[in-house]
Amino acid sequence: MTTLLDVRDLTVRFGQTRAVDGISFTLDEGETLGLVGESGCGKSTAALALMGLLEAARLDGSASFGGRDLLALDEARMRSIRGAELAMIFQDPATALHPLIRVGDQVAEVLRTHLGSNRREATARALDLFRKVGIAAPEVRLRAYPHEMSGGMCQRVMIAAAIACSPRLLLADEPTTALDVTVQAQILGLLRDLSREFGMAMILITHDLGVVAGMTDRVAVMYAGRIVEAAPTGALFAAPAHPYTVGLLGSVPRLDAGWDDDLATIPGSVQTAADASGCRFAPRCARASNACRTEPALIPTGEGRAVACWHPA
Ligand SMILES: Nc1ncnc2c1ncn2[C@@H]1O[C@H](COP(=O)(O)OP(=O)(O)OP(=O)(O)O)[C@@H](O)[C@H]1O
Ligand SMILES: [Mg+2]
């Protein structure tokens, strides 16, 4: 397998706050990586940093994508990659779609910018994409404004825009959280088909461990700005090593209880990077000892796994 993305020591600072604190991971072509962790742990920030969309932040580290460092590119070169080779489905569709532009034109614009399509070609292709993402009556919907469409439909439009140029990597940030369960399943199925069809790699950010289990090849678990565990998906679910991961999996709701986004059933709350010394999970961890006053590094433990813990399970 060829490495598509190689992120090393990515750190994102907003003022004094380190929202992402030295994360490293790689992604192979066509691979799907799940990025999980509690609200505020830095998942969206990491994705937005890779997209070059964080103006107010200070970035350190590197992110090699097809041989170029995404963190070092100037805005003009970033703009030529963004949307074409690297695309993102944003957590909040309302902010991602322009409210005053017809949705068909928004998708067509991506095609005109990156593929140099003329208006007629771009509209025809947008229509194809709308069909592909399961938008009913696509000819009519092309001319709709975002407020005339449901949340699920807006989400599909965003997906259509994101996949318009067959990106090599799609960053999907909670792509289905706002949607009802039936639509969620449809959208996830669609993303999986697209990744298979185009060999598109994906970073799937989600609170939903059921989604992680069904969709991803590997998982990186984040806690307070750091990756605390990374493993192939099956291995992680079978035998979580980090106490935080153990807690996360322990708080997966039973199927008969229905889905629930809330992972915060582990006692305590997330300590921020600013006031941390040592392991950030230690204040909530039943296994914590004196050793945990020193921050554990993410150490490979074999078979594609790594864990940052002095007392792994
Ligand atoms: N523009 C910003 N300015 C200052 N702080 C920010 C900014 N964006 C994010 N943060 C902070 O960075 C941290 C990580 O936020 P982020 O949105 O990446 O978390 P997340 O893991 O995506 O959470 P969620 O699951 O709720 O989407 C939070 O503490 C947040 O308050
Ligand atoms: Mg987020």
Side-chain angles (χ1 to χ4, degrees):
M1 267 295 172
T2 325
T3 302
L4 176 64
L5 177 70
D6 185 352
V7 176
R8 299 219 181 141
D9 289 324
L10 171 63
T11 298
V12 181
R13 288 185 182 81
F14 295 107
Q16 296 290 86
T17 313
R18 272 173 290 160
V20 174
D21 193 8
I23 65 170
S24 299
F25 62 91
T26 62
L27 189 68
D28 285 339
E29 275 173 17
E31 190 180 32
T32 296
L33 175 74
L35 198 56
V36 302
E38 272 168 329
S39 187
C41 71
K43 306 179 297 292
S44 296
T45 302
L48 291 167
L50 296 176
M51 289 290 286
L53 292 175
L54 288 177
E55 280 170 10
R58 188 179 138 202
L59 307 186
D60 289 292
S62 64
S64 169
F65 176 67
R68 296 146 302 186
D69 182 0
L70 293 175
L71 306 186
L73 294 178
D74 60 32
E75 177 54 24
R77 291 191 59 201
M78 198 64 212
R79 213 177 298 132
S80 72
I81 292 176
R82 203 190 293 133
E85 296 178 56
L86 175 65
M88 181 158 172
I89 300 171
F90 296 91
Q91 189 164 5
D92 180 4
T95 59
L97 292 176
H98 194 296
L100 302 179
I101 300 177
R102 296 179 198 275
V103 292
D105 291 343
Q106 298 195 44
V107 175
E109 181 59 27
V110 179
L111 296 157
R112 296 177 66 186
T113 304
H114 291 294
L115 303 183
S117 313
N118 63 35
R119 183 178 291 271
R120 179 191 291 268
E121 288 164 355
T123 305
R125 173 96 171 107
L127 189 61
D128 275 354
L129 286 161
F130 273 35
R131 285 205 188 92
K132 187 154 230 154
V133 299
I135 294 178
E139 299 86 352
V140 180
R141 291 293 168 76
L142 278 178
R143 301 185 50 76
Y145 292 95
H147 73 266
E148 297 171 325
M149 304 181 86
S150 67
M153 282 298 147
C154 286
Q155 200 84 347
R156 288 167 195 246
V157 171
M158 263 210 302
I159 294 172
I163 63 169
C165 302
S166 309
R168 296 163 77 190
L169 173 58
L170 178 66
L171 309 178
D173 191 358
E174 305 278 6
T176 60
T177 306
L179 308 177
D180 69 54
V181 176
T182 339
V183 183
Q184 273 191 28
Q186 286 170 14
I187 299 269
L188 291 170
L190 172 69
L191 289 177
R192 199 173 36 212
D193 292 349
L194 290 168
S195 95
R196 286 190 187 144
E197 194 176 323
F198 300 140
M200 174 181 78
M202 192 154 55
I203 297 179
L204 183 61
I205 298 175
T206 177
H207 280 82
D208 190 329
L209 294 168
V211 170
V212 172
M215 295 278 297
T216 65
D217 302 307
R218 277 190 306 131
V219 187
V221 180
M222 284 186 72
Y223 188 82
R226 299 183 67 91
I227 292 177
V228 295
E229 180 162 12
T233 304
L236 187 94
F237 277 81
H242 196 285
Y244 176 60
T245 317
V246 173
L248 276 187
L249 297 185
S251 62
V252 177
R254 296 196 322 275
L255 279 172
D256 57 5
W259 296 110
D260 185 356
D261 286 338
D262 188 11
L263 298 173
T265 52
I266 303 169
S269 57
V270 182
Q271 191 185 17
T272 64
D275 48 51
S277 70
C279 174
R280 268 152 231 186
F281 187 61
R284 298 169 75 183
C285 183
R287 292 169 168 255
S289 74
N290 275 337
C292 308
R293 291 183 188 174
T294 307
E295 178 141 47
L298 186 66
I299 305 286
T301 55
E303 292 170 347
R305 306 193 62 159
V307 62
C309 179
W310 297 113
H311 307 295

